[in-house]
Amino acid sequence: MDNMDNNVNQETQRTPQPTQRRRRSRRRKNSGCAGTVVYVIAVLGISIVLSLAAIFIANDVFAFVKDNAVKEITVSENTDVLSMADRLDDEGVISYGSVFKLYVRVKGDNQGVLAGSYQLNPSMDYGQIIDTLANTSSTETMNITIPEGYSIAQIKQTLLDEHVCTEDALDKALNEYSFKHDFLQSELPAEEGWLEGYLFPDTYEIYKGNASVVNTINTMLNNFDDKYDEEIQAGAEAQGRTMHDIVTIASLIEREAQRDDERARIAGVIYNRLNNPGEFPYLQVDASVLYGLGRTGGTLSEEDLATETPYNLYTQEGLPPGPICNPGYASLYAAAYPEQHDYYYYVAMPDGSHLFASSYDEHQANIAASNQAQAEAQAAAASAEGSGE
């Protein structure tokens, strides 16, 4: 009996209480359900927030539903699209300046903006805003004069000084746009300086704005095509020279000659040397050396004359690799019809004329005469300045 009672007691002690087990299970189930609900609510909340943010950002980028109100924005010099982001945000044209910056960077549309006033509207999408700022055209025209002998660098600076367009737009037109003129096909692909010599110097009526830049350059090229006429072509053929050669020689003449009556004579000196490479391998044209140094004037030092550039015609034989400026018609004609003579040297005089020589000894005498004349001219100038004349 005692054993049976003891066994019963032991069994009773080892058996868990059913009521207690059910209560612990219910609490765990309630806790798990609550956690799931909280998690679902959190996910839904984050999704809603992100969706709303995406909707607002997309609306700003693509202008699905935005106010229609014109905003006039004045842009100062040396401004690009990216730097306009905060200003556009402040003016209410866009709502998210940081998103606009990211858009510009991703699209690679950070172009220069021409100084002036722009009519912008919040109803514009980001692409339209950028296009208006960077590629705007104008109904305003202006006359621009490109002097004979200007290099592309000088033409570029002239257009920028007159606020015709931005530097970015001009660089793209000059260095990247593949113009389709027949005479340029041998010069392709487009690269920096490839149009040197072919932008004909003249006075042009042009439209302001980046959208008109290609048309402006195209007009200059068309003018060159007209001026390089049948007469010049015939002269080039008679000299056995290509258009590239003629334009290059004409550019040397343009920068060396200061008097119209000496253009053909200087051309004759250049041809005499080119046709006698054994005795005169170097043209020794100072203007080409200056071009290679990135200069348009000034006195050349011994160091300058020894500098190795493709345009140093004291160290490089024959013609330079290309034109050194954009010559006018008179120089193109002189290059096609050089004067026939036996001169191989010339030296400049203070009045812009030149002394020509057939021999080196004669040339040395001319240099002495030139130096004396230069010294006398400088002394006269100094005297006149001292007397207040």
Side-chain angles (χ1 to χ4, degrees):
M1 286 286 296
D2 291 339
N3 288 338
M4 289 181 65
D5 291 340
N6 288 337
N7 290 336
V8 171
N9 290 336
Q10 289 175 1
E11 288 295 331
T12 302
Q13 291 173 358
R14 284 197 297 266
T15 303
Q17 296 297 323
T19 303
Q20 292 177 351
R21 184 187 301 123
R22 281 196 297 272
R23 287 176 180 173
R24 283 197 297 268
S25 176
R26 188 177 295 114
R27 282 198 297 270
R28 281 197 294 269
K29 288 182 179 179
N30 290 339
S31 176
C33 290
T36 300
V37 171
V38 170
Y39 175 77
V40 170
I41 292 173
V43 170
L44 288 174
I46 293 172
S47 299
I48 292 171
V49 170
L50 292 176
S51 297
L52 289 174
I55 290 171
F56 285 124
I57 291 173
N59 183 52
D60 201 46
V61 173
F62 300 107
F64 295 130
V65 182
K66 293 180 69 177
D67 294 336
N68 184 12
V70 175
K71 307 280 186 178
E72 183 168 316
I73 307 295
T74 301
V75 180
S76 59
E77 295 287 341
N78 303 317
T79 302
D80 56 31
V81 172
L82 195 60
S83 66
M84 292 286 296
D86 293 336
R87 174 85 180 281
L88 295 174
D89 195 343
D90 292 341
E91 296 288 344
V93 178
I94 60 176
S95 300
Y96 306 103
S98 58
V99 175
F100 184 81
K101 291 178 182 178
L102 178 62
Y103 180 93
V104 172
R105 290 191 177 99
V106 170
K107 296 283 288 184
D109 277 341
N110 188 30
Q111 305 175 48
V113 181
L114 187 64
S117 296
Y118 294 82
Q119 301 289 327
L120 299 176
N121 198 313
S123 63
M124 292 177 170
D125 62 37
Y126 282 7
Q128 291 171 323
I129 292 171
I130 293 171
D131 189 60
T132 300
L133 290 172
N135 301 301
T136 185
S137 60
S138 172
T139 57
E140 179 184 355
T141 63
M142 62 188 306
N143 289 328
I144 295 290
T145 298
I146 305 301
E148 295 175 345
Y150 259 31
S151 66
I152 281 184
Q154 291 172 301
I155 293 175
K156 172 183 171 180
Q157 193 58 53
T158 298
L159 296 176
L160 294 179
D161 289 344
E162 295 293 337
H163 309 297
V164 171
C165 57
T166 65
E167 186 169 8
D168 286 344
L170 187 52
D171 283 340
K172 287 183 179 180
L174 288 172
N175 305 325
E176 299 177 19
Y177 191 88
S178 296
F179 293 94
K180 305 304 181 184
H181 299 75
D182 291 340
F183 60 83
L184 290 175
Q185 297 312 298
S186 61
E187 306 286 345
L188 289 170
E191 59 182 357
E192 184 175 358
W194 79 296
L195 298 179
E196 191 77 89
Y198 301 99
L199 302 182
F200 196 81
D202 208 337
T203 296
Y204 297 92
E205 183 180 12
I206 61 176
Y207 286 95
K208 295 186 66 174
N210 291 342
S212 303
V213 176
V214 169
N215 184 62
T216 296
I217 303 302
N218 195 67
T219 301
M220 296 180 185
L221 293 171
N222 289 342
N223 199 7
F224 171 87
D225 198 19
D226 291 338
K227 297 300 191 296
Y228 197 90
D229 55 24
E230 292 181 359
E231 192 171 6
I232 292 179
Q233 292 176 39
E237 291 176 6
Q239 299 301 326
R241 293 289 173 175
T242 65
M243 175 187 284
H244 183 81
D245 289 344
I246 293 296
V247 176
T248 300
I249 294 170
S251 73
L252 298 177
I253 297 167
E254 191 69 68
R255 294 307 296 265
E256 290 283 287
Q258 297 184 43
R259 290 172 39 165
D260 287 340
D261 62 350
E262 290 188 348
R263 294 181 193 275
R265 190 166 302 163
I266 289 175
V269 173
I270 293 173
Y271 275 105
N272 285 345
R273 285 180 169 251
L274 288 173
N275 294 332
N276 292 275
E279 189 175 356
F280 298 96
Y282 305 110
L283 292 182
Q284 296 182 330
V285 176
D286 290 355
S288 184
V289 180
L290 288 167
Y291 182 84
L293 296 172
R295 292 157 52 188
T296 57
T299 303
L300 288 170
S301 66
E302 292 297 325
E303 183 180 358
D304 291 334
L305 295 175
T307 303
E308 288 294 334
T309 77
Y311 294 89
N312 187 343
L313 301 187
Y314 284 81
T315 62
Q316 306 296 319
E317 297 183 7
L319 290 171
I324 63 171
C325 70
N326 296 274
Y329 186 83
S331 291
L332 287 169
Y333 191 90
Y337 296 95
E339 184 178 298
Q340 302 298 311
H341 55 61
D342 62 354
Y343 296 138
Y344 289 89
Y345 307 90
Y346 60 82
V347 62
M349 294 294 282
D351 64 355
S353 65
H354 292 82
L355 299 177
F356 295 83
S358 300
S359 68
Y360 183 72
D361 289 341
E362 186 182 359
H363 181 53
Q364 290 300 306
N366 286 344
I367 290 176
S370 173
N371 289 340
Q372 182 178 349
Q374 298 283 359
E376 291 174 354
Q378 291 174 3
S383 177
E385 184 178 350
S387 62
E389 294 182 5

